[in-house]
């Protein structure tokens, strides 16, 4: 299995530009999560999906952030317009609920290092 | 609310030393508890977990015991290796698949 695949690995952009981060979860997994990691705030859950449906987006910092999951094998996190304070590592993770019981094991991608200048 | 508190790092040890990384939690109900590890340039990986009081999770020589009376889940290893250098995250499951992570503790092991 290739694991969770994120792209790009690094993104450098200028303030005001649109940024799109991409994630391919592990095949067969039914949950997908977007996390943001910064030195100041640690790991923050932004949003998660179950069977492609957004379940909880209470961690999305503001309207500039949006996430979609058009199918079971692809998700995007978009920031428009981007700001310097959005600079962070963004992780995508997926997991599987099997037999009605939460697996509780998240598989993380390698992350996207975003720098907004 | 639900939260996890970890000891501040970095923790600096010599190879073969004993490791303890403290973790305490605040939660409603009876959460499952986890330790995740993040190696440089990589995403987090599950290291071990415990799902109920007095359970001991263990993996790769690491272990942690779910202590309900002290709301703790301290990570221990008897003899660390240079390859254990990483950032360690304590986490709890508040329900379904939603994990709450601590701020992470960096471990540096020197030869």
């Amino acid at each position: 299995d290739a694991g969770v695949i994120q792209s790009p690995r690094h993104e450098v952009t200028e303030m005001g530009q649109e940024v799109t981060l991409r994630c391919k979860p592990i095949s067969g997994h039914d949950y997908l999560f977007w996390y943001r990691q910064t030195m100041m705030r640690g790991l923050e859950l932004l949003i998660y999906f179950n069977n492609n449906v957004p379940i909880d987006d209470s961690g999305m910092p503001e309207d500039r952030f949006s996430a979609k999951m058009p199918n079971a094998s692809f998700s995007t996190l978009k920031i428009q317009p981007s700001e310097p304070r959005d600079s962070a590592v963004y992780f995508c993770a997926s997991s599987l609920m099997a037999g009605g019981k939460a697996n509780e094991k998240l598989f993380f991608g390698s992350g996207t290092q975003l720098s907004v200048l | 609310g639900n939260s996890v508190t970890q000891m501040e790092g970095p923790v600096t040890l010599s190879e073969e030393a004993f490791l303890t990384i403290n973790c305490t939690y605040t939660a409603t109900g009876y959460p499952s508890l986890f330790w995740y590890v993040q190696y440089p340039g990589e995403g987090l990986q599950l290291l071990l977990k415990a799902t109920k009081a007095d359970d001991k999770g263990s993996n790769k020589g690491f272990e942690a015991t779910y202590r309900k009376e002290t709301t703790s889940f301290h990570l221990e290893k008897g003899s660390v290796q240079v390859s254990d250098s990483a950032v360690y995250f304590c986490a709890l499951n508040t329900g379904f698949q939603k994990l709450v992570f601590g701020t992470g503790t960096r471990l540096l092991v020197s030869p």
Side-chain angles (χ1 to χ4, degrees):
Chain A
D1 197 320
V4 176
I5 300 172
Q6 290 187 247
S7 64
R9 283 300 303 268
H10 302 277
E11 176 80 38
V12 180
T13 190
E14 293 189 346
M15 183 173 63
Q17 296 298 305
E18 177 180 296
V19 175
T20 299
L21 312 181
R22 297 172 176 80
C23 175
K24 177 179 168 56
I26 291 173
S27 177
H29 280 192
D30 53 358
Y31 281 83
L32 184 139
F33 305 79
W34 283 100
Y35 281 88
R36 177 171 69 176
Q37 185 179 39
T38 62
M39 290 293 293
M40 292 298 296
R41 301 171 69 93
L43 265 170
E44 303 172 276
L45 176 64
L46 301 178
I47 184 171
Y48 76 95
F49 296 82
N50 176 222
N51 292 324
N52 314 337
V53 176
I55 302 300
D56 185 347
D57 65 354
S58 59
M60 296 285 261
E62 48 197 276
D63 291 345
R64 298 185 297 106
F65 286 69
S66 62
K68 294 182 179 179
M69 192 166 187
N71 56 63
S73 59
F74 184 66
S75 177
T76 60
L77 177 68
K78 186 176 293 186
I79 309 172
Q80 166 64 20
S82 58
E83 296 182 3
R85 61 194 168 116
D86 302 330
S87 297
V89 181
Y90 291 81
F91 287 103
C92 176
S94 70
S95 68
L96 173 67
M97 178 180 285
K101 185 173 190 245
N103 183 300
E104 299 184 323
K105 180 176 180 179
L106 298 187
F107 293 80
F108 281 78
S110 298
T112 295
Q113 174 78 59
L114 173 64
S115 298
V116 183
L117 306 178
Chain B
N2 300 304
S3 66
V4 174
T5 302
Q6 290 182 236
M7 62 189 290
E8 295 247 351
V11 173
T12 304
L13 295 173
S14 298
E15 206 164 25
E16 299 184 3
F18 184 85
L19 168 70
T20 300
I21 299 178
N22 291 338
C23 170
T24 57
Y25 68 90
T26 301
T28 54
Y30 303 96
S32 295
L33 301 173
F34 307 83
W35 279 100
Y36 276 78
V37 58
Q38 183 180 27
Y39 298 103
E42 298 183 10
L44 281 71
Q45 306 172 25
L46 179 64
L47 180 60
L48 54 85
K49 73 174 189 180
T51 57
K52 61 183 186 296
D54 300 325
D55 265 4
K56 179 184 285 188
S58 61
N59 185 25
K60 299 180 180 180
F62 292 89
E63 58 182 35
T65 302
Y66 189 142
R67 301 285 188 199
K68 183 168 176 293
E69 63 276 11
T70 55
T71 62
S72 65
F73 192 55
H74 304 323
L75 182 68
E76 296 181 336
K77 187 175 186 182
S79 176
V80 293
Q81 305 300 312
V82 173
S83 57
D84 294 327
S85 297
V87 181
Y88 292 81
F89 292 87
C90 186
L92 64 83
N93 188 336
T94 61
F96 299 99
Q97 299 280 28
K98 191 171 180 178
L99 291 185
V100 173
F101 287 90
T103 53
T105 302
R106 182 175 299 277
L107 170 65
L108 300 170
V109 181
S110 56

